[in-house]
Amino acid sequence: MSRNKVLEVENIIKVYGKGENRTEALRGISFDVLEGEFLGIMGPSGSGKTTLLNSVATMIQVTSGNIRLKGEDISSFRGRKLSDYRGKEIGYLFQEFELLDNLTARENIILPLSLHGIAGREAETMFKKLARHFDIEEELYKFPSQMSGGQKQRVAAARALIGEPDIVLADEPTGALDSRNSKMLMNCLSAINADEGKTIMMVTHDANAASYCSRILFIQDGRLFHELRRNVKTEAAAEFYERIVTVLSQLGGGSANVL
């Protein structure tokens, strides 16, 4: 069964500075993200992976090329259209959680709905479903200062998904977590991808986290270096992990040196 393209990235170039200070962060990258895919983006520090993610999030404007969400060029979005894109059509999961300290977990999760005027029974149903899925029902009335890092990141993940976005963008979501909480978060994200068909695009330096993906793009010096696809039905995460580590070693001195 063919799947629709959620995201189309076409020959994007991003240049910072001018003259001697000119730096090409992205050098003509093209790829598609299909509906229901769990795509990982990996590469050495400075390879352009976070620039790529932030370009899709419209935090950065590309120098040239096109990025289309469900066929619409996001560079043309202005005003309300741009606000709706950022608030409804994409969800963003940050490395450092970015929760508001003066709001409870529940209030942090539903904040995107409040900002965009979404309320009612359907929103409450989605909220309860996400709270159960991410195992944060006992944390809902706690403030961020009362939660562990793993709990905060699962709250942040629920917030990223509450508006039922077309795609979730995750920037090093396990970067501030220990191995136990990293595994818990990735199990939750993997399950919601598999069970609900949520589309996820994740930048990570962590081969363990990347092994949960269905496909990985490796970036080096602003260009696509390699691509790995996992046969989810027949290939275990541990086998995919070994293939990931092999590519990382080719990228630059082993997985321990890839940031």
Side-chain angles (χ1 to χ4, degrees), residues 92-109:
Y92 203 104
L93 182 55
F94 299 88
Q95 178 178 340
E96 296 292 342
F97 325 131
E98 303 299 334
L99 300 177
L100 296 179
D101 292 334
N102 62 333
L103 298 182
T104 64
R106 177 188 172 84
E107 290 166 339
N108 268 286
I109 293 169

Side-chain angles (χ1 to χ4, degrees), residues 40-205:
I41 307 289
M42 303 190 80
S45 179
S47 61
K49 58 188 186 296
T50 298
T51 297
L52 172 60
L53 195 74
N54 288 337
S55 296
V56 175
T58 65
M59 295 180 186
I60 293 174
Q61 186 173 3
V62 298
T63 304
S64 63
N66 297 294
I67 301 174
R68 289 184 289 272
L69 185 81
K70 295 197 299 187
E72 286 194 88
D73 185 356
I74 67 172
S75 67
S76 66
F77 294 171
R78 299 287 186 275
R80 182 61 182 269
K81 183 75 171 176
L82 180 59
S83 176
D84 284 347
Y85 172 76
R86 291 172 174 170
K88 298 178 181 178
E89 297 180 49
I90 62 169
Y92 203 104
L93 182 55
F94 299 88
Q95 178 178 340
E96 296 292 342
F97 325 131
E98 303 299 334
L99 300 177
L100 296 179
D101 292 334
N102 62 333
L103 298 182
T104 64
R106 177 188 172 84
E107 290 166 339
N108 268 286
I109 293 169
I110 65 174
L111 182 61
L113 301 183
S114 302
L115 292 174
H116 292 275
I118 303 170
R121 186 178 300 172
E122 186 176 342
E124 185 65 20
T125 299
M126 174 57 68
F127 170 79
K128 290 179 179 178
K129 183 177 181 180
L130 288 170
R132 285 194 303 270
H133 180 84
F134 286 103
D135 192 22
I136 51 174
E137 290 173 292
E138 294 185 7
E139 279 67 56
L140 293 178
Y141 296 97
K142 293 180 181 178
F143 292 95
S145 61
Q146 299 170 310
M147 292 184 278
S148 70
Q151 290 166 345
K152 284 189 278 191
Q153 191 59 305
R154 295 199 303 279
V155 168
R159 180 186 59 189
L161 286 155
I162 189 67
E164 298 194 77
D166 294 313
I167 186 169
V168 173
L169 307 177
D171 186 11
E172 305 275 14
T174 63
L177 304 180
D178 59 24
S179 58
R180 175 180 170 275
N181 280 299
S182 294
K183 184 176 181 179
M184 190 179 298
L185 175 70
M186 293 311 303
N187 281 333
C188 289
L189 291 176
S190 179
I192 208 162
N193 166 254
D195 299 340
E196 304 291 337
K198 298 297 182 183
T199 308
I200 304 171
M201 177 175 161
M202 176 180 71
V203 163
T204 184
H205 69 278

Side-chain angles (χ1 to χ4, degrees), residues 1-5 34-36:
M1 184 177 70
S2 61
R3 291 185 290 176
N4 295 327
K5 295 177 182 178
L34 301 180
E35 187 176 22

